[in-house]
Amino acid sequence: MAVTDEAIEKIKGMIVSGALRPGDRLPKESELAADLGLSRNSLREAVRALSLIRILDVRQGDGTYVTSLDPQLLLEALSFVVDFHRDDTVLEFLAVRRILEPAATAMAASRISEQQLRALTSQLDALGAAPSVEELVACDLEFHRGIVQSSGNSVLCSLLDGLSGPTTRARIWRGLTQEDAVSRTLHEHRAILSALRDRDAEAARSWATVHIASVEQWLRSTL
């Protein structure tokens, strides 16, 4: 094991064991290196690596702290990695989204508040009957983010947020090239919203599946 990897594992072990908790300040570099049996250089590299993936927060002139370790913060690294996807993997991202998002939408059916329902309704009303493709896709992202947030599962929300990026270009291209894509998307959004308003989890799940599968089906036919 490379010395930097060993250093990362030792710091990780301290966090997992509870020796270091969210918000804790790490001991001074010289002390921590001695305690862990590491060189200061390998410890420094490990801290740098862990700060990149939001495990540690290096504050100049103050010290190094364990972050909050909230899922949304930690899963920012997923978004970074996902940005390097190849066009031929978009279908795989859509397939994962088709598994997770309908489940989140079904969960939201029993948990979404009246205020959140009104916000989603206002969002669709403001979009109008004939939005541009770019406006529709932007609304699509916010619409589904609002629903997933209503599921009450922050991990699921962060995962889907990270997965939405690679499919954005496919959705724009579909809107530009498929004749009824805009009207179909608006119809599906209204159907999902109606199911949520009725607190019908299975209908919400079904419409969310149809919504994502229609993009997936179109993309398969064009590749």
Side-chain angles (χ1 to χ4, degrees):
M1 182 184 291
V3 288
T4 301
D5 292 340
E6 181 185 0
I8 290 171
E9 284 300 315
K10 287 186 174 181
I11 295 172
K12 174 186 170 185
M14 292 180 70
I15 296 171
V16 171
S17 69
L20 285 172
R21 298 182 179 279
D24 281 356
R25 187 180 188 275
L26 269 63
K28 290 181 180 178
E29 185 182 271
S30 57
E31 295 175 8
L32 186 58
D35 288 345
L36 297 179
L38 301 167
S39 72
R40 292 177 70 168
N41 279 341
S42 61
L43 177 60
R44 211 168 287 140
E45 289 299 318
V47 167
R48 187 177 293 117
L50 290 169
S51 67
L52 286 173
I53 57 172
R54 305 291 194 268
I55 302 294
L56 298 178
D57 178 19
V58 180
R59 304 175 190 173
Q60 293 299 324
D62 186 13
T64 299
Y65 292 80
V66 180
T67 67
S68 64
L69 302 180
D70 287 340
Q72 187 171 1
L73 185 67
L74 299 182
L75 287 168
E76 282 180 10
L78 171 66
S79 299
F80 180 80
V81 172
V82 163
D83 284 340
F84 290 96
H85 80 283
R86 303 185 312 272
D87 285 348
D88 59 357
T89 62
V90 173
L91 276 170
E92 294 180 11
F93 283 109
L94 277 168
V96 174
R97 191 176 161 219
R98 181 161 45 85
I99 294 168
L100 297 178
E101 195 160 307
T105 306
M107 288 168 63
S110 61
R111 302 179 182 184
I112 193 166
S113 69
E114 290 299 322
Q115 182 180 359
Q116 288 168 320
L117 284 170
R118 286 194 296 272
L120 290 173
T121 302
S122 297
Q123 192 179 52
L124 293 186
D125 289 344
L127 194 60
S132 69
V133 173
E134 291 78 9
E135 288 172 336
L136 179 63
V137 171
C139 176
D140 186 74
L141 290 170
E142 287 304 314
F143 180 76
H144 293 291
R145 182 180 289 118
I147 292 172
V148 175
Q149 286 174 342
S150 300
S151 73
N153 188 311
S154 60
V155 174
L156 194 52
C157 189
S158 297
L159 279 172
L160 284 165
D161 233 15
L163 291 169
S164 65
T167 63
T168 299
R169 186 164 56 175
R171 280 178 277 178
I172 290 174
W173 186 242
R174 178 195 178 212
L176 292 171
T177 58
Q178 191 176 38
E179 186 178 346
D180 63 343
V182 172
S183 60
R184 184 187 297 185
T185 299
L186 291 172
H187 170 69
E188 289 164 357
H189 279 183
R190 291 289 182 187
I192 292 170
L193 184 55
S194 178
L196 291 174
R197 197 177 287 115
D198 291 341
R199 309 289 176 180
D200 189 333
E202 287 312 307
R205 185 197 306 273
S206 297
W207 275 112
T209 303
V210 166
H211 183 56
I212 299 165
S214 63
V215 180
E216 192 177 355
Q217 184 180 33
W218 168 83
L219 188 56
R220 287 185 189 281
S221 69
T222 60
L223 292 177

